[in-house]
Amino acid sequence: MTAARPDTDPEPHADSTDGRKDAPMSQETEGARPGEKAAARPEAGGGDSERRMERGIALRAGFYIFGTHIFAGFVWLLFYVGEHAHK
């Protein structure tokens, strides 16, 4: 008698409660649990929210990079002024 390995699932789309096979879930219902309604899409009509999220991440990264360079320039200026100060 051989034991089934827990990390391999011979039937990836089998429902564990009643044993029947289900079709893969669509994007709308992928995150829903059995017995729950699927979350409503924030914007029905396209992948506009994905593009907006990518743009927001790019803007945030740009601000962080710009801010880091401004801070590094300020620190460099402090060292420069400190080096040339008359003691």
Side-chain angles (χ1 to χ4, degrees), residues 16-65:
S16 61
T17 57
D18 63 356
R20 66 180 175 85
K21 289 187 177 183
D22 292 329
M25 293 184 178
S26 68
Q27 289 180 344
E28 290 85 16
T29 59
E30 190 171 287
R33 291 190 175 96
E36 292 181 1
K37 289 185 176 181
R41 294 172 72 184
E43 295 180 20
D48 203 31
S49 65
E50 184 90 20
R51 198 173 316 145
R52 196 173 349 158
M53 187 184 311
E54 288 177 4
R55 194 170 112 202
I57 291 170
L59 282 173
R60 188 177 303 133
F63 282 131
Y64 289 157
I65 291 168

Side-chain angles (χ1 to χ4, degrees), residues 67-86:
T68 302
H69 280 84
I70 293 294
F71 179 72
F74 177 70
V75 171
W76 177 82
L77 181 66
L78 289 177
F79 276 104
Y80 180 81
V81 169
E83 181 182 338
H84 291 87
H86 298 288

